[in-house]
Amino acid sequence: MKFVHGSASERYDVVVLGSGAGALTAAATAARAGKSVVVLEKSALLGGTSAVSGGMLWVADNHHARRAGITDSKKAAAEYVRAVARGRGRDELLDAALAYGDQMLRFVEEECGLGFIFLDNFPDYRQDLPGAVEGGRTVEPELFNSREALGDLKEHVRSDGRAPFTMQEYENWGAFTKFPWDALSQRQADGLVAKGQALVSMLLASLVRDGAALATGARGHRLLTDGGRVTGVELETGETFLANDGVVLATGGFEWDKALADSMLASRLYTMCSPPSNTGDGLRMAQRIGGQTRGTREAWWAPMSVTGDARDGQPIGTLLRFERQGPGSIMVNRHGRRFANESQNYNDLARSLQSWDSPNNQTLNTPAHVIVDHAYMERYGILAHRAGQPTPGYLVEAKTLEELAAKINVPADNLVETVDRFNAFAVKGEDPDFGRGESAYDKYWGDTDNQYPNPSLGPLQTGPFYAMEVVNGAFGTNGGVATDGRARVLDVDNRPIEGLYAAGNTTENAYAAGYPGAGATLGPIMTMGYLAGRTIAGQSADYSPAEQTESTAELVGA
């Protein structure tokens, strides 16, 4: 174990296990209330899954939208989330996430110094459901100079390995071939970070200002109890940390424990992109003292390809976004046929990968293949690959569709027929089979410079053709320890376990099986972290700027 900030003590007011956005929000909220806090991270780097995410937050009826004159309501958002969640989940959690989402957002901005970009035109993922809006519920972190804010601590923060660009810029630029790479390299040289790394770095900067202790290489093993109350934690090394007021479990999901994933998840998980340290530690610690578990069948599903990327020495999947959403690409199953709208949100598309193919109903659609032609490759490339470069191992290249079909083991007649039918409609901007390009979300991630009528659609006409395998992946699991609406861990009889709180992918998610929009992971996760911190500190969940201390007022420039 190594303290990367602050000094070791045997006792703190609050002990937080994990260092993702949920953990750090709980820690920062408690620290702002004057509590002594220690954050214990299992891996060698701070930030967890949040640090390698897009860093976006989905917060309905937020103050940024109100200032922009965008009409929204928590009632409409609740109707929408319940529809997206397919009737699953508990009202107590959903209501808490929606009721206090904007309270959390204002708190981290005004008290902790976080800065966000308001995305007024980022559509909810399911435009076909009641209560959806075409923009105003998503924010993302501003670019942040972590070198200036964190100094040497910056080197202990996890990175996604990508250049510092915002998701708003990603949408504006589209394919990676259009990115200003020299300018992005200069940002990196200047110490700027973006997306999830920026979000985590801002929260860490708040904790540093408030004197919190931060340790890495500290894996929790067992919760300490006295008379039914959780009083601290014992690490795998045998070291103990006592907590006067509460312990927060926020150790991530269980996706990297294959036995747990295979036994609990509803569908097979082929790959993931989270840190390999997510092995269900918090889940086990809660279970050992009678903690209740819920929602463990679900994950933050996403279509991914295995391209040789690694994290902490372990192979990880790569999320496919524009590669399947850009005009001139299609996705086919092992029968060489399309099976879904390729441009829809990643969570629902991954559910199609988990489904049985039709009409045969004999095999799953996983693995599938993204197919593009040479014209697409010249315009956009595929991930880091560019036209004219040697074809990487994760791509299959062939002069004709028939040859490509043979190489990826799909029926050639089916593939040719599929592409011909798709092309005939794509040049007209239509997809009568799966409705690709009809919703605001589909168009948002298309190419506005597309020569064809719909930014999401274009034909595949020019050889050589390329295929990339796609499998069912996930950002992480999102079920586990059950909590109430104040983030208190519940026992098997639905009673709060005194002194124990939880947030993040360690817990049952507030939106259950639903994925309402961009940031629907971190929005409720940080809200539950905020509620944990407020509850531990004995404060009302309702935040008012009047609570600011003198030092806080200086921080936010009041």
Side-chain angles (χ1 to χ4, degrees):
M1 182 180 64
K2 177 182 180 181
F3 275 83
V4 294
H5 183 266
S7 56
S9 172
E10 185 179 330
R11 182 179 291 275
Y12 297 84
D13 292 329
V14 183
V15 176
V16 179
L17 292 166
S19 63
L24 297 181
T25 302
T29 304
R32 282 275 79 206
K35 299 294 184 181
S36 62
V37 176
V38 63
V39 174
L40 303 174
E41 166 57 41
K42 171 184 177 179
S43 75
L45 295 169
L46 299 165
T49 305
S50 303
V52 297
S53 74
M56 306 170 95
L57 279 64
W58 192 87
V59 180
D61 192 25
N62 65 72
H63 60 283
H64 293 283
R66 291 193 289 274
R67 289 172 185 168
I70 295 175
T71 302
D72 193 10
S73 71
K74 293 178 177 61
K75 181 179 179 182
E79 181 182 26
Y80 172 61
V81 172
R82 286 189 170 91
V84 174
R86 302 167 177 83
R88 298 182 183 176
R90 285 187 291 135
D91 287 345
E92 181 179 10
L93 295 183
L94 186 151
D95 291 343
L98 291 177
Y100 296 107
D102 192 47
Q103 304 266 5
M104 175 277 296
L105 190 61
R106 290 170 56 212
F107 177 87
V108 296
E109 288 175 329
E110 296 166 4
E111 291 268 347
C112 304
L114 274 67
F116 293 98
I117 300 167
F118 175 55
L119 302 178
D120 61 348
N121 66 336
F122 204 122
D124 285 341
Y125 284 172
R126 293 294 303 273
Q127 291 292 301
D128 57 314
L129 295 178
V133 298
E134 292 193 3
R137 289 174 175 167
T138 297
V139 299
E140 71 163 316
E142 296 175 344
L143 292 171
F144 184 67
N145 195 315
S146 62
R147 180 181 300 151
E148 290 181 359
L150 300 178
D152 292 341
L153 184 60
K154 172 182 169 61
E155 304 308 315
H156 299 282
V157 181
R158 187 176 293 280
S159 167
D160 65 2
R162 295 193 172 192
F165 57 84
T166 66
M167 292 302 291
Q168 184 181 60
E169 290 172 330
Y170 187 1
E171 184 276 329
N172 290 335
W173 297 332
F176 289 130
T177 52
K178 299 181 180 181
F179 278 40
W181 293 108
D182 289 344
L184 293 176
S185 295
Q186 186 58 53
R187 284 183 185 177
Q188 203 156 24
D190 293 340
L192 294 176
V193 294
K195 303 187 290 296
Q197 189 180 1
L199 179 68
V200 164
S201 296
M202 291 177 192
L203 287 166
L204 287 170
S206 177
L207 285 165
V208 167
R209 287 190 293 266
D210 283 332
L214 308 169
T216 58
R219 181 179 187 178
H221 171 65
R222 184 172 66 90
L223 294 168
L224 305 177
T225 60
D226 183 6
R229 176 186 174 84
V230 172
T231 58
V233 63
E234 178 184 323
L235 303 187
E236 188 177 45
T237 58
E239 298 166 276
T240 60
F241 290 86
L242 301 179
N244 294 326
D245 299 313
V247 172
V248 180
L249 295 175
T251 59
F254 56 84
E255 62 274 11
W256 280 91
D257 186 307
K258 190 175 187 307
L260 276 179
D262 285 348
S263 65
M264 289 187 171
L265 293 177
S267 300
R268 181 184 172 190
L269 182 58
Y270 286 75
T271 188
M272 44 268 176
C273 59
S274 57
S277 53
N278 291 350
T279 56
D281 294 350
L283 179 63
R284 289 189 182 88
M285 282 187 278
Q287 286 177 322
R288 289 189 185 107
I289 63 166
Q292 181 183 160
T293 59
R294 285 177 176 263
T296 54
R297 290 169 54 84
E298 290 296 335
W300 303 116
W301 306 111
M304 294 184 179
S305 289
V306 179
T307 63
D309 289 344
R311 180 153 290 134
D312 296 355
Q314 297 295 319
I316 59 171
T318 299
L319 171 66
L320 301 184
R321 195 184 289 274
F322 191 84
E323 295 76 25
R324 59 181 172 80
Q325 295 173 311
S329 68
I330 63 170
M331 188 179 295
V332 299
N333 62 17
R334 69 187 70 203
H335 299 291
R337 300 193 184 279
R338 294 178 67 216
F339 56 92
N341 168 8
E342 299 91 343
S343 289
Q344 68 183 301
N345 72 83
Y346 37 81
N347 190 259
D348 285 330
L349 181 56
R351 292 182 187 279
S352 296
L353 285 169
Q354 300 165 15
S355 301
W356 296 101
D357 68 278
S358 179
N360 297 305
N361 291 321
Q362 294 177 344
T363 55
L364 290 174
N365 285 316
T366 296
H369 285 87
V370 165
I371 311 289
V372 303
D373 70 352
H374 192 65
Y376 180 102
M377 190 67 72
E378 287 186 320
R379 288 195 306 272
Y380 308 124
I382 287 282
L383 299 175
H385 178 65
R386 302 290 176 263
Q389 297 176 344
T391 303
Y394 60 83
L395 282 180
V396 177
E397 179 182 351
K399 292 181 180 179
T400 66
L401 286 171
E402 290 86 351
E403 182 184 344
L404 187 70
K407 288 186 175 183
I408 62 174
N409 195 29
V410 305
D413 291 348
N414 287 356
L415 181 60
V416 171
E417 179 185 335
T418 295
V419 172
D420 286 347
R421 177 174 174 80
F422 178 81
N423 288 351
F425 290 106
V427 295
K428 297 186 290 185
E430 302 171 0
D431 176 22
D433 295 327
F434 297 102
R436 177 171 170 181
E438 293 179 3
S439 77
Y441 177 82
D442 290 4
K443 292 183 175 70
Y444 185 88
W445 282 107
D447 182 3
T448 55
D449 295 329
N450 184 22
Q451 62 177 304
Y452 298 98
N454 193 309
S456 300
L457 294 167
L460 292 74
Q461 299 171 319
T462 309
F465 297 90
Y466 305 85
M468 180 167 59
E469 188 175 82
V470 184
V471 296
N472 182 42
F475 304 142
T477 56
N478 66 355
V481 180
T483 71
D484 66 6
R486 294 167 57 189
R488 299 180 299 178
V489 173
L490 300 175
D491 67 14
V492 293
D493 294 315
N494 285 323
R495 297 173 303 195
I497 297 175
E498 192 176 356
L500 186 61
Y501 305 80
N505 286 347
T506 303
T507 68
E508 172 193 10
N509 186 259
Y511 298 155
Y515 210 126
T521 58
L522 292 178
I525 280 173
M526 288 180 61
T527 301
M528 296 308 290
Y530 162 79
L531 291 170
R534 299 284 285 191
T535 304
I536 292 170
Q539 296 177 324
S540 164
D542 295 303
Y543 165 68
S544 169
E547 295 175 12
Q548 293 181 19
T549 63
E550 184 176 347
S551 60
T552 305
E554 293 173 358
L555 169 65
V556 299

